[in-house]
Amino acid sequence: MFRPLEVFIGLRYTRAKRRNHFISFISLVSILGIAVGVTALITVISVMNGFQKELQDRILGMVSHATIEGVDETVRDWPGALKLAHANAHVLGAAPYVERQAMLQGTRVSGAIIRGVSPDLESAVSDVGAHMIRGKLADLASSHFGIVLGKELAATLGVDVGDFVTVFAPEFSATPIGAIPRMKRFTVVGIFEVGMQEYDSGLALTSLQDAQTLYRLDGPTGIRLKLDDMFQAYPIGKELAGHLGQYYRVTDWMQGHSNFFKAVAMEKKVMFLILSLIVAVAAFNLVSTLVMLVTDKQADIAILRTLGQSPASVMGTFMVQGVLVGTLGIALGVFFGVVLSLNLAAIVRWIEQTFHVTFLSPDVYYISELPSDLHWNDVIWITVTAFVFCTLATLYPALRAAKTEPAAALRYE
């Protein structure tokens, strides 16, 4: 005889034709409910991962992993600081910068952050060069007092490539007619768009030398770093700052956007909890299926008990069947969830083209395509969670089957 006996009988009940077709229908509904719940959970979590990755990439495209900034002074030996940084195995790129606030005047006036960069080194720590929609970042090196503006900032100022922008530094110079703000006229040589309001509307780039001249600095205000592990940015930056001989302020990419990333992580957890409850409701449909099955199989249970099968063995028999139904639903859900997550962008584009609708309009949203980023560890967690729910759902019906009294069940047989 097949061993273990509980698995043999449980599989037999699953394959056998039931006299009550309603039980089969309820089982099918349970399988489909679990499959739909698991599919939805995998897809939604993948979409949230996609949005998080998209926003993270855009932020890190403009913000370096770590920043070593001088406190009320410039970096004295910045070429030596770059050599020291490149000597660290975790540093992939390093570049000097100057960052100050300013008032910009074109056709209209707007405040912005002026960031002085080295065009040759900036590509090692940011992706701004890949987001140029007009002009090139390298034009900063070939032009005298050139400036690159964010798209929204250029629109606010009412300027385009080739126009002039007057930059007012928040510092004053003493002249015979009194104190006047320090100002300089720059030529717009390029416009970028990274898809983040914070940078597109509030950031302007100029060459390192021009920024030092405008603010009368004798060097860059800090060093920006790109690392092989962005989650180790702060300790690596702190280690490098300790070897530079000055007192520096070290910041990483998380500190400036910690509230944003915490909100995204919290939203992901809440969505996981809500959708897990939906999977739990679908899984507990197994309770009604197994209760009806136990009622239908009262005579079989009584005969098995009479032949010597223990209550624990009877309980295991019906748990096997419930777990099998749940596993089938989970397997279908994982399959469709993975397929849907991997092809979600293409499916959404097909729906938009076929029905002439737009889910994420580029005129309204910076992210105009529905992103999806499937993480297999999320799939594993979802699978385990659903399996636990299905197993718990089998306990009550199986316990009820184990308590069946043979004499009472066979009285009217």
Side-chain angles (χ1 to χ4, degrees), residues 43-59:
T43 304
V44 171
I45 295 300
S46 297
V47 169
M48 297 193 69
N49 288 336
F51 275 109
Q52 183 176 5
K53 182 178 183 298
E54 187 74 17
L55 293 173
Q56 182 173 298
D57 290 344
R58 295 191 181 202
I59 290 175

Side-chain angles (χ1 to χ4, degrees), residues 47-59 193-197 200 260 264 345 348 352 358-372:
V47 169
M48 297 193 69
N49 288 336
F51 275 109
Q52 183 176 5
K53 182 178 183 298
E54 187 74 17
L55 293 173
Q56 182 173 298
D57 290 344
R58 295 191 181 202
I59 290 175
E193 181 183 17
V194 297
M196 290 291 292
Q197 179 73 15
D200 289 345
F260 167 76
V264 172
V348 170
E352 290 179 337
T358 302
F359 293 107
L360 297 174
S361 174
D363 298 331
V364 180
Y365 303 99
Y366 281 106
I367 301 176
S368 57
E369 292 188 357
L370 193 63
S372 179

Side-chain angles (χ1 to χ4, degrees), residues 11-221:
L11 294 176
R12 179 78 177 179
Y13 280 165
T14 303
R15 296 193 305 268
K17 294 182 179 179
R18 298 183 178 91
R19 290 171 296 175
N20 192 341
H21 296 288
F22 187 67
I23 299 177
S24 300
F25 175 74
I26 294 297
S27 299
L28 180 61
V29 171
S30 299
I31 293 173
L32 294 179
I34 295 170
V36 171
V38 172
T39 300
L41 186 52
I42 293 176
T43 304
V44 171
I45 295 300
S46 297
V47 169
M48 297 193 69
N49 288 336
F51 275 109
Q52 183 176 5
K53 182 178 183 298
E54 187 74 17
L55 293 173
Q56 182 173 298
D57 290 344
R58 295 191 181 202
I59 290 175
L60 292 179
M62 298 299 296
V63 178
S64 55
H65 292 168
T67 299
I68 302 175
E69 181 182 7
V71 179
D72 297 328
E73 60 179 334
T74 59
V75 180
R76 298 168 187 166
D77 182 20
W78 66 268
L82 292 184
K83 292 181 180 179
L84 180 63
H86 286 298
N88 191 302
H90 298 288
V91 176
L92 301 178
Y97 77 100
V98 169
E99 191 165 285
R100 289 287 190 271
Q101 294 180 340
M103 183 70 70
L104 280 64
Q105 181 179 16
T107 305
R108 293 176 289 272
V109 178
S110 178
I113 298 294
I114 298 292
R115 181 183 294 172
V117 300
S118 175
D120 297 334
L121 300 176
E122 185 64 16
S123 61
V125 295
S126 75
D127 299 330
V128 63
H131 295 283
M132 299 293 297
I133 57 176
R134 284 193 286 279
K136 296 180 295 183
L137 187 64
D139 293 338
L140 291 177
S142 58
S143 61
H144 186 58
F145 287 102
I147 193 169
V148 173
L149 305 175
K151 180 182 177 181
E152 298 293 335
L153 178 59
T156 301
L157 297 174
V159 297
D160 205 339
V161 174
D163 295 335
F164 295 102
V165 171
T166 302
V167 178
F168 295 87
E171 300 173 5
F172 293 88
S173 299
T175 67
I177 60 173
I180 60 173
R182 194 177 305 155
M183 67 181 74
K184 190 67 179 179
R185 191 172 74 164
F186 285 75
T187 304
V188 180
V189 298
I191 295 176
F192 67 85
E193 181 183 17
V194 297
M196 290 291 292
Q197 179 73 15
E198 178 181 354
Y199 304 112
D200 289 345
S201 64
L203 180 64
L205 304 176
T206 185
S207 69
L208 187 65
Q209 293 75 15
D210 293 341
Q212 291 177 192
T213 301
L214 174 65
Y215 293 100
R216 297 183 181 179
L217 301 172
D218 57 359
T221 57

Side-chain angles (χ1 to χ4, degrees), residues 37 48 99 131 136 222 232 246 272 279 288 308:
M48 297 193 69
E99 191 165 285
H131 295 283
K136 296 180 295 183
Q232 296 297 319
Q246 291 178 245
F272 183 87
V279 176
S288 58

Side-chain angles (χ1 to χ4, degrees), residues 272-295:
F272 183 87
L273 179 61
I274 293 174
L275 292 174
S276 294
L277 292 177
I278 296 176
V279 176
V281 171
F284 278 97
N285 282 335
L286 288 173
V287 176
S288 58
T289 302
L290 293 179
V291 166
M292 295 183 66
L293 180 64
V294 169
T295 303

Side-chain angles (χ1 to χ4, degrees), residues 304-383:
L304 291 172
R305 290 293 310 278
T306 304
L307 293 175
Q309 189 175 19
S310 66
S313 180
V314 172
M315 184 175 178
T317 298
F318 287 92
M319 287 187 66
V320 166
Q321 186 168 12
V323 169
L324 182 63
V325 171
T327 301
L328 183 57
I330 293 171
L332 290 174
V334 170
F335 174 76
F336 287 113
V338 170
V339 171
L340 184 59
S341 298
L342 294 177
N343 299 277
L344 188 61
I347 294 173
V348 170
R349 283 195 297 268
W350 178 82
I351 294 175
E352 290 179 337
Q353 294 172 1
T354 303
F355 298 98
H356 305 289
V357 296
T358 302
F359 293 107
L360 297 174
S361 174
D363 298 331
V364 180
Y365 303 99
Y366 281 106
I367 301 176
S368 57
E369 292 188 357
L370 193 63
S372 179
D373 184 22
L374 181 68
H375 293 177
W376 288 107
N377 57 330
D378 289 336
V379 175
I380 294 173
W381 272 109
I382 292 169
T383 302

